[in-house]
Each structure stands twice: as C-alpha cells, then as structure tokens.
C-alpha cells in the first residue's frame, strides 16, 4: 500500500502543472527528487527504508517528505546560512555521492571519488559563526550569492578539491567573508585547486590569520569578473601558486601586513607558466604600508599587456612591482590601454645588513625589463631612492613614462 501510495503521489506530481519536486528532509539536509526521474520508489527492510533514485533513506531519520511545485536542477547543491544554522538542499542525482555534515552553521561536503559530474554549489544567507568546506576529485562550481559569512573555526570557505573551481559572483550581489583569528588556515578563502572567477558581483575578503585569498594552483579573473576587494590581511592579500591571470574585473587590495599580490612557484617546477603573472585587462588598486613589502610580486616573469594598475606602497625597502625574473610592459589592444601609476615612499630596509638590505623601488627586476607600449608614471616620495632598478637588460621600444632608471 505504501508503494502504491508513493507511485500515485509522484504520478500526481508529474501531472500537475509546475508540480515537479519531492523534498526529503533529514534534519538540516534536504534531498530534492524531480518527479520525472523518480521512477518506482520502494520500501525495504520491513518498510523502514525508502529507495529513491538509487539511494536508500532510513525512515527513522526522515523528518518529513513534502511535494511542491519547484524544479530541480541537476547536480546542484544549495547552502543557505541563517544565523547559527545552515540548511543544505541537494539534487537526488548526486546526493548518494555527497557526504554532508552540518554542525550549527558549519557545513562540510565531501564528494565520493567516483563522482564524475560537475556539481554546482550555491552559497547564500548570513552567519557570524559559520563556514563552508568542500572536497572532491572532480571540477566544481561555487556560486557566491550575497553570502555574509564569518568563521570562528578556520577559513570562511575552504575548498580542498584540487581541480578547477569556477567561482561565480552573482550579478548585483555582495558577498562578505572573514575568517577567525589565531587559526591554522592558510586564508579566509582558500582553493586547493585552480580558481577561475567570473560573474559581475562583489566579493569582500578579510584575512584575520594569514592571507585573504590563497590558491595552491593558478587563479584567473575572467573578463566578466566584477569586483574583488581585500579589506585587510595579516599577510598577503592574494597569495597564488603557479600563476595569476587577470583578463578583467576590479581587484582592490588594501591593509595587508605583507604583499598585496604574491605569486609563487609550485613544488613542481615544470608546471605551466609557473610563478608568472599575466595582466591583460581590468583594474588593480593596491595600497600597503609595511617594511620590505611589495605591491605585485612574482617569482618568475610578469607580463602587463593591458588594464590599469595603481599602487601606493609605503615602507622601508618597499617595491611597487618586484619580479625575480623578467618584466614586460606592453599594450596588446588599444581598446584596453596599459596604464601604470605608482607612488612609493620609504628608505633603505636594513641598510647595515648586506644579506637583507633592500632599497625602495617602484619597479625592481632581477632579470630584464622590456617597455613596449602603454604609460608608466612613478611618484617617488622616498629619501634618496631611485624609481626603477633592473639587474638585467632594460629595453625601451615605445610608450610614455615618467621615472628614473638604475641599470
């Protein structure tokens, strides 16, 4: 009888205009079953378990089953934060392969290694004591839809998944993230894999223990990216391994205790474009005051081929742009002109130590510097310091500039 009742119920759901979903609630977790895909639902183990779309639900753990007129997007997970609680809804097609844990407003979701479908996670709501952790072995999308989240246990968002993570900033929304102080997390927002930002929304970050944002592989800001603003960080604002590529958007980094942007080599020196920076468009604004700090730093080449970069860097030994290798400033497209303006202020850092001594520079390259288009303006408010220091070869081809050179 129970089997027939459920079959009749789902038949009614499918037949009703717009009535397409059955919701199975277990505590703070809900599984959404689309009527069209539900098929035959059966009871097992003496009627104590319900089998739906390949998953078995212990009825002792089910709080309620509700039918409504909502639709179900395939391979989707929604996490809604509400004060001290968080609620998770996931589509039934991927639910059997996702291990979900909810502790107050701290949510952890781990995908089974067998999952070979890209899951889209949508995070929304507000919590002053919450976090989001996600792990898996397949690429994923994380949409930040007006989320306000402060963690008291570590990172606000910790994505341990080492694959491509598409981070979508929902148009017209602002997401604000802050992590706890004194933790062991690498960043307020951490991505173990490679992060690709897109979407026209705004993201505000505060790193109370270490970096504001960090990724262990490359990070890309696509042309559609809105605004990412670092309000403060104990160390770097953006700390990226492998490479950083910026094709558009606005990146505003202030109040860091160390570098605004730091791009480092990965452990595998053969990784593509390892330790490099590519700026092709968009706007970068950096404002930092600390000893021996850098606005933009890379362990290998930096290429600036479009967009606007403005930096105010203050502190003994500070640098506006610092590369351990080569710098190319050019203008690839007249529609996206290259404009660089930096204000630097400071004296020599550790002047009596030959190992640590560092002079204040707008640009410092350990390799070559090629200037082939665009505009570079330097305002040097330091004491007895030069604007540009090139250890390799400086080559001027074209462009407008206002700086002095030490070569």
């Amino acid at each position: 009888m129970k089997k027939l009742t459920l079959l009749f119920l789902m038949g009614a759901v499918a037949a009703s205009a717009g009535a397409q979903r059955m919701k199975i609630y277990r505590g703070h977790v809900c599984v959404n079953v689309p009527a069209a895909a539900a098929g035959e639902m059966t009871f097992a183990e003496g009627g104590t378990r319900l089998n739906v779309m390949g998953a078995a639900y212990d009825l002792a753990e089910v709080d309620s089953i509700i039918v409504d007129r909502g639709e179900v997007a395939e391979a989707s997970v929604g996490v809604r934060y509400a004060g001290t609680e968080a609620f998770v809804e996931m589509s039934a097609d991927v639910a059997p392969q996702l291990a979900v844990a909810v502790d107050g407003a701290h949510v952890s979701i781990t995908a089974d290694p067998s999952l070979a479908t890209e899951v889209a996670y949508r995070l929304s709501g507000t919590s002053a004591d919450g976090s989001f952790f996600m792990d898996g072995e397949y690429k994923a999308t994380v949409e930040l839809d007006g989320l306000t989240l402060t963690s008291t246990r570590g990172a606000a968002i910790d994505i341990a998944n080492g694959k491509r993570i598409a981070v979508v900033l929902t148009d017209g929304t602002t997401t604000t993230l802050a992590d706890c102080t004194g933790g062991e997390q690498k960043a307020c927002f951490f991505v173990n894999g490679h992060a690709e930002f897109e979407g026209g929304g705004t993201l505000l970050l505060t790193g109370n223990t270490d970096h504001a944002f960090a990724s262990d592989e490359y990070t890309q800001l696509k042309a559609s990216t809105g605004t990412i603003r670092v309000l403060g960080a104990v160390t770097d604002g953006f700390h990226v391994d492998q490479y950083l590529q910026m094709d558009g958007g606005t990146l505003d980094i202030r109040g860091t205790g160390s570098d605004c942007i730091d791009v480092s080599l990965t452990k595998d020196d053969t990784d593509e474009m390892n330790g490099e920076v590519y700026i092709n468009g968009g706007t970068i604004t950096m404002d930092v005051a600390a000893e021996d700090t850098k606005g933009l730093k890379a362990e290998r080449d930096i290429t600036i081929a479009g967009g606007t970069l403005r930096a105010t860097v203050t502190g003994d030994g500070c640098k506006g742009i610092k590369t351990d290798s080569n710098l190319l400033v050019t203008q690839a497209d007249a529609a996206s002109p290259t404009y660089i303006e930096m204000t630097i202020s400071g004296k020599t850092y550790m002047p009596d130590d030959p190992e640590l001594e560092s002079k204040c520079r707008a640009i410092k390259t350990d390799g070559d510097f090629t200037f082939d288009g665009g505009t570079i303006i330097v305002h040097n408010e330091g004491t007895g310091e030069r604007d540009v220091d090139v250890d390799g070869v400086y080559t001027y081809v074209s462009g407008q500039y206002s700086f002095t050179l030490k070569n």
Side-chain angles (χ1 to χ4, degrees):
M1 179 62 69
K2 291 182 178 178
K3 175 182 175 181
L4 291 175
T5 300
L6 285 170
L7 286 173
F8 174 79
L9 177 62
M10 293 310 293
V13 169
S16 301
Q20 300 175 340
R21 176 175 61 181
M22 182 175 74
K23 302 167 75 70
I24 304 173
Y25 286 93
R26 293 179 296 174
H28 287 70
V29 180
C30 173
V31 176
N32 293 321
V33 181
E40 182 177 289
M41 297 178 292
T42 61
F43 288 99
E45 299 182 18
T48 62
R49 296 178 72 83
L50 174 65
N51 297 317
V52 184
M53 292 183 65
Y57 298 91
D58 187 343
L59 293 180
E61 298 176 354
V62 174
D63 298 319
S64 61
I65 298 177
I66 298 173
V67 176
D68 67 12
R69 296 176 180 272
E71 297 184 357
V72 180
E74 294 183 351
S76 64
V77 175
V79 181
R80 179 176 61 85
Y81 292 86
T84 58
E85 297 180 292
F87 301 89
V88 178
E89 292 197 15
M90 51 187 172
S91 58
D93 57 333
V94 294
Q97 294 170 293
L98 300 178
V100 181
V102 180
D103 181 9
H106 297 273
V107 177
S108 172
I109 302 178
T110 301
D112 189 88
S114 65
L115 179 66
T117 299
E118 180 170 356
V119 176
Y121 299 84
R122 178 177 173 270
L123 312 183
S124 62
T126 300
S127 177
D129 182 12
S131 64
F132 177 73
F133 171 85
M134 186 269 281
D135 197 3
E137 298 184 13
Y138 199 83
K139 61 185 179 180
T141 294
V142 177
E143 180 181 358
L144 305 179
D145 187 7
L147 173 69
T148 299
L149 194 60
T150 298
S151 176
T152 58
R153 300 185 184 179
I157 296 179
D158 182 352
I159 300 175
N161 187 326
K163 303 300 182 181
R164 189 273 288 147
I165 306 299
V167 182
V168 179
L169 310 180
T170 305
D171 290 354
T173 68
T174 297
T175 289
T176 303
L177 304 177
D179 59 355
C180 73
T181 60
E184 297 181 358
Q185 69 274 14
K186 190 173 183 178
C188 168
F189 185 179
F190 174 71
V191 177
N192 182 48
H194 30 282
E196 297 183 0
F197 285 91
E198 58 184 288
T202 297
L203 174 61
L204 308 179
L205 299 171
T206 301
N208 289 312
T209 287
D210 201 341
H211 311 307
F213 170 81
S215 66
D216 276 354
E217 297 179 22
Y218 75 77
T219 291
Q220 178 184 6
L221 275 66
K222 295 186 175 182
S224 67
T225 305
T227 299
I228 302 175
R229 181 169 291 121
V230 172
L231 304 180
V234 172
T235 56
D236 301 333
F238 256 54
H239 187 94
V240 175
D241 286 349
Q242 192 176 359
Y243 69 87
L244 172 66
Q245 178 175 328
M246 183 168 178
D247 298 320
T250 297
L251 185 56
D252 187 344
I253 302 177
R254 304 170 186 271
T256 60
S258 188
D259 307 324
C260 290
I261 301 173
D262 186 345
V263 179
S264 302
L265 293 164
T266 64
K267 294 179 181 179
D268 185 353
D269 195 49
T270 65
D271 280 344
E272 180 185 24
M273 301 186 292
N274 207 359
E276 300 183 9
V277 172
Y278 296 85
I279 300 172
N280 302 312
T283 299
I284 298 177
T285 302
M286 301 176 290
D287 192 339
V288 59
E291 288 188 336
D292 199 28
T293 192
K294 291 86 179 173
L296 172 61
K297 174 187 174 184
E299 291 197 59
R300 291 253 174 98
D301 294 350
I302 295 176
T303 300
I304 303 175
T308 298
L309 187 152
R310 290 186 172 89
T312 301
V313 187
T314 304
D316 293 347
C318 69
K319 310 287 190 298
I321 297 174
K322 169 66 171 70
T323 170
D324 295 349
S325 188
N326 304 311
L327 171 65
L328 169 63
V329 176
T330 185
Q331 188 163 293
D333 185 352
S336 180
T338 299
Y339 182 85
I340 301 171
E341 184 171 5
M342 291 181 284
T343 300
I344 57 171
S345 178
K347 303 177 183 178
T348 299
Y349 175 73
M350 302 292 282
D352 300 322
D353 189 327
E355 296 293 328
L356 297 178
E357 181 177 288
S358 178
K359 298 182 183 298
C360 185
R361 298 281 190 260
I363 296 174
K364 173 67 172 72
T365 70
D366 292 351
D368 301 335
F369 173 23
T370 301
F371 183 22
D372 186 16
T375 301
I376 301 176
I377 298 174
V378 174
H379 307 284
N380 192 336
E381 300 176 357
T383 303
E385 304 293 1
R386 294 179 182 271
D387 300 336
V388 178
D389 189 349
V390 180
D391 286 353
V393 177
Y394 171 68
T395 302
Y396 172 79
V397 180
S398 66
Q400 298 179 328
Y401 66 92
S402 173
F403 59 75
T404 59
L405 173 70
K406 178 182 181 298
N407 185 221

